[in-house]
Amino acid sequence: DADVTQTPRNRITKTGKRIMLECSQTKGHDRMYWYRQDPGLGLRLIYYSFDVKDINKGEISDGYSVSRQAQAKFSLSLESAIPNQTALYFCATRGAGRGPQHFGDGTRLSIL
Amino acid sequence: AQSVTQPDIHITVSEGASLELRCNYSYGATPYLFWYVQSPGQGLQLLLKYFSGDTLVQGIKGFEAEFKRSQSSFNLRKPSVHWSDAAEYFCAVGSYNTDKLIFGTGTRLQVFP
């Protein structure tokens, strides 16, 4: 089983719909992150969390919200999806200290 | 402002040729650096990391990178490219003062037989 699991892997939906992307991890890491990837722009940070009670905005948080339901679960929501939120979304985790971030396989989201 | 630049959007090499992917960073604090690889339909896999010490670091799949503080660079190299190396490569920088990484925009590598 993957250490960082994202569901769904693919989603097509319509403008105005509410969408939730889920991320769960078995690595026991405290830190979790949500990124979006757009062609030519690399990865941009949406939200990150150091633990269940510590959630922080990244560089592009507008239009998104998150919930850290447990140490192992970190969900990203789009309250009212718009077409320019069409992107590839990644969840990542990191342990304490100086370790690298570990990524899930991504969710490809298309908003029509 | 903190930034990471990967000047080459797309690189094409022949199988067996050597490879160097460039990464330059602008960071006020002492950085730590990563290279990740992304194959189609996959997440990002860590190739190697630099925190301190020896400036030449070895990674997985035969890759290495050299940290050059004077040039603010962390270029990725491989002496002989395999067709399976075709992917997108991302450089990322962080620091001991922040928990966030800044990613470059990526370099797409194409390998011809």
Side-chain angles (χ1 to χ4, degrees), chain A residues 9 31 33 35 37 40-43 45 48 50 88 90 94 98-105, chain B residues 32 34 36 38 41-44 46 49 51-52 88 90 96 98-101 103-106:
Chain A
R9 291 295 314 278
R31 295 163 171 79
Y33 308 79
Y35 293 89
Q37 182 183 20
L41 297 179
L43 276 75
L45 183 63
Y48 60 107
F50 290 163
L88 185 55
F90 284 105
R94 189 168 85 84
R98 303 180 301 175
Q101 293 185 12
H102 300 266
F103 286 81
D105 286 338
Chain B
Y32 54 81
F34 304 94
Y36 286 87
Q38 183 183 25
Q42 303 285 316
L44 277 71
L46 180 70
K49 58 185 183 288
F51 291 121
S52 63
E88 189 151 23
F90 292 94
Y96 300 104
T98 177
D99 199 65
K100 295 183 285 185
L101 290 183
F103 284 84
T105 52

